[in-house]
Amino acid sequence: MYQKKLSKMDEKYTKIFDTMEWNALVSNPNSRRIESFNVFHNISFRINLCYLLKKKGQTKEEFVKGLRAACREFWSRCQYEVMISSMFCRGNYEAELNENTFIIKKNFYRDECKDVVYKNLSGSEEYQKNNIVPGRYTIQNKKLDEAEKIDVFRQLDQNMERLAEYIIKETRYKIK
């Protein structure tokens, strides 16, 4: 599918996109790490960008609006979301589960509760449903959770005007 669309793309734009770089943070499911990703390496983004660049006689505002639409269509999907939080966000607790006793060992933010113990967990429905096994855990208190989901579109949208200027400059697109 992409090869067919790719063959229609201008060779000129393909070569230009190969040299361009604009990075965003993405989660790599293979390495289980957050990595920097060049958005110009994505074929769907390139195709949408080519369609946008082939529209002649746009003002800068129209170009930015079209770029924003092209970015939103693809980069706001859930697989491009990452969780961002401070390093020591409130509500993170190091805990250990031994047989049927759950003990909070360490509180990273020095909240009030210390050495909280939960007993007889093995009989609870959630314990059985989630296949909880003895071991070490990090627990997050959702009330105190400061983490936020941020997708690639949200990262790009902050500098959409600059991204548009960069694309216009590199592709020598003529603004009306």
Side-chain angles (χ1 to χ4, degrees), residues 120-131:
N120 299 326
L121 287 174
S122 58
S124 75
E125 187 178 316
E126 285 188 30
Y127 183 90
Q128 293 168 351
K129 182 172 67 175
N130 292 312
N131 297 323

Side-chain angles (χ1 to χ4, degrees), residues 15-71:
K15 288 177 183 175
I16 291 170
F17 294 155
D18 285 341
T19 63
M20 294 175 75
E21 187 172 343
W22 197 277
N23 293 312
L25 295 176
V26 295
S27 177
N28 183 339
N30 297 324
S31 65
R32 292 184 169 176
R33 296 189 186 278
I34 294 175
E35 298 174 351
S36 183
F37 178 74
N38 184 355
V39 296
F40 291 103
H41 288 175
N42 183 282
I43 191 73
S44 294
F45 182 63
R46 284 181 173 212
I47 290 168
N48 287 338
L49 201 49
C50 268
Y51 288 137
L52 179 65
L53 290 167
K54 287 180 182 179
K55 292 179 185 175
K56 300 296 179 194
Q58 297 184 83
T59 64
K60 185 178 176 190
E61 291 76 26
E62 291 170 335
F63 187 84
V64 170
K65 186 178 178 183
L67 179 60
R68 184 171 275 121
C71 289

Side-chain angles (χ1 to χ4, degrees), residues 125-157:
E125 187 178 316
E126 285 188 30
Y127 183 90
Q128 293 168 351
K129 182 172 67 175
N130 292 312
N131 297 323
I132 297 173
V133 295
R136 300 189 80 166
Y137 290 88
T138 300
I139 299 173
Q140 176 66 48
N141 181 339
K142 285 294 181 188
K143 268 204 257 182
L144 302 175
D145 190 4
E146 298 168 350
E148 197 171 332
K149 285 184 187 176
I150 298 177
D151 57 23
V152 171
F153 174 71
R154 190 163 162 198
Q155 294 175 56
L156 295 176
D157 195 38

